[in-house]
């Protein structure tokens, strides 16, 4: 216990991110943007990336106006060249130190299994899975040199434990992320590195706004959600921030479901 700390000091020490350097991929929209903002509010130095230069410029301008330490680069982390550019720029911007990596980029191509093409499959693997695996490899030396760090995957409850109508390929990429953190947690624990997957249910983001506009589907979603609503991006971001904070220092290899009770609901 740290009874000698004031409440404010206790919150800052265990739940804040002051002095931490964080790399967040896909930080201009939805959950990614909410994570960037939450980290910045909590005192972290943040570096992010996006494929669209105008979206990135808008984010950086907003963050600068609020006095937050956020920088970024335009790049596609689904490609080796894009990942190389991000790592080089992030290292320079963050002083050669990366304490937290949030693998947030993701996409979906919603089709029945028999309709997927090889190109569909390759694209989703590259965006959702390969980018996260390769960037985790890339940040390992930084974290090991610093005595530790945290790798966080933005997964989905589509990755299990039950099936969802989000497509087989999307589900397999998210299930893979949930498995990867268990392997990383065991393999890299001796390097002081924790690995956690955060798995949201339907969240009000641009990725699913067209789906949430379907009143019949929305009613189906809400009927399977004990809390009776979809998540807001900041609700997911707060869990990500907790996972990155010292308060979660004994959590690793886990999938934290942010789903309003969806995964707990059977025939009830």
């Amino acid at each position: 216990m740290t009874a000698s700390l004031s409440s404010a000091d206790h919150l800052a020490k265990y739940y804040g991110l002051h002095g931490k350097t964080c790399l967040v991929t896909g930080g201009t929209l939805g959950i990614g943007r909410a994570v960037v903002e939450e980290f910045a509010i909590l005192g972290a130095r943040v570096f992010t990336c996006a494929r669209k230069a105008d979206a990135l410029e808008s984010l950086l301008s907003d963050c600068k106006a609020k006095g937050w330490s956020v920088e970024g680069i335009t790049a596609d982390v689904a490609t080796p060249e894009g990942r190389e550019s991000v790592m080089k720029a992030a290292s320079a911007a963050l002083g050669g130190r990366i304490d937290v990596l949030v693998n947030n980029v993701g996409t979906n191509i919603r089709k029945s299994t028999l309709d997927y093409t090889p190109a569909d499959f390759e694209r989703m693997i590259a965006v959702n899975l390969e980018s996260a695996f390769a960037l985790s490899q890339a940040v390992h030396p930084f974290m090991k040199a610093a005595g530790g760090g945290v790798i966080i995957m933005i997964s989905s409850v589509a990755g299990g434990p039950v099936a969802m109508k989000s497509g087989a390929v999307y589900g397999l990429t998210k299930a893979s992320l949930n498995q990867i953190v268990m392997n990383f947690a065991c393999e890299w624990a001796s390097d002081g590195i924790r690995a956690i997957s955060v798995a949201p249910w339907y969240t009000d983001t641009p990725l699913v706004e067209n789906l949430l506009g379907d009143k019949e589907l929305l009613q189906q979603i809400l009927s399977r959600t004990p809390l009776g609503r979809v998540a807001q991006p900041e609700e997911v971001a707060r869990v990500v921030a907790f996972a990155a904070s010292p308060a979660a220092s004994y959590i690793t290899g886990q999938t934290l479901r942010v789903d309003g009770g969806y995964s707990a609901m059977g025939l009830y």
Side-chain angles (χ1 to χ4, degrees):
M1 291 294 291
T2 54
S4 61
L5 291 177
S6 68
S7 296
D9 288 340
H10 182 89
L11 287 172
K13 181 175 181 179
Y14 293 106
Y15 295 91
L17 294 172
H18 290 280
K20 297 295 183 181
T21 55
C22 308
L23 171 57
V24 181
T25 64
T28 59
L29 294 171
I31 291 172
R33 179 163 186 146
V35 170
V36 168
E37 293 179 349
E38 189 73 14
F39 279 12
I41 289 169
L42 292 172
R45 294 170 58 195
V46 185
F47 191 89
T48 190
C49 61
R51 290 183 298 126
K52 296 181 179 180
D54 56 345
L56 179 64
E57 193 58 39
S58 176
L59 169 71
L60 297 183
S61 178
D62 289 347
C63 290
K64 182 178 181 180
K66 295 174 182 176
W68 294 339
S69 179
V70 179
E71 298 181 61
I73 187 176
T74 303
D76 183 359
V77 295
T79 68
E81 298 80 12
R83 292 191 290 270
E84 183 178 356
S85 295
V86 167
M87 288 304 302
K88 183 177 180 179
S91 176
L94 300 176
R97 177 170 180 147
I98 301 174
D99 298 308
V100 180
L101 166 66
V102 179
N103 286 303
N104 168 71
V105 295
T107 192
N108 195 7
I109 301 171
R110 295 173 183 269
K111 292 183 177 180
S112 63
T113 298
L114 296 179
D115 290 332
Y116 279 108
T117 67
D120 293 334
F121 186 88
E122 290 171 7
R123 177 61 181 167
M124 290 183 64
I125 292 294
V127 175
N128 294 4
L129 185 55
E130 184 180 356
S131 67
F133 185 83
L135 284 171
S136 297
Q137 287 181 313
V139 300
H140 177 273
F142 292 89
M143 293 183 176
K144 183 177 181 179
V150 188
I151 295 172
I152 300 172
M153 308 292 187
I154 303 301
S155 177
S156 167
V157 290
V162 295
M164 273 179 56
K165 293 180 180 179
S166 54
V169 182
Y170 184 78
L172 78 84
T173 61
K174 297 304 184 178
S176 295
L177 293 178
N178 296 343
Q179 178 62 47
I180 283 173
V181 299
M182 291 190 279
N183 287 80
F184 287 172
C186 296
E187 187 174 352
W188 293 344
S190 60
D191 298 322
I193 298 171
R194 296 189 293 115
I196 297 170
S197 182
V198 174
W201 173 226
Y202 280 96
T203 305
D204 190 9
T205 70
L207 184 64
V208 296
E209 62 185 357
N210 61 320
L211 298 175
L212 298 180
D214 182 332
K215 293 184 178 180
E216 182 177 347
L217 176 59
L218 178 60
Q219 184 53 45
Q220 291 178 0
I221 292 168
L222 299 183
S223 72
R224 302 295 302 159
T225 310
L227 288 185
R229 61 181 178 82
V230 299
Q232 294 302 308
E234 58 268 23
E235 294 181 295
V236 181
R238 291 173 194 141
V239 176
V240 176
F242 166 72
S245 75
S249 59
Y250 203 58
I251 299 176
T252 192
Q254 303 300 311
T255 296
L256 306 181
R257 295 184 177 89
V258 189
D259 65 2
Y262 160 77
S263 60
M265 189 174 183
L267 181 59
Y268 193 84

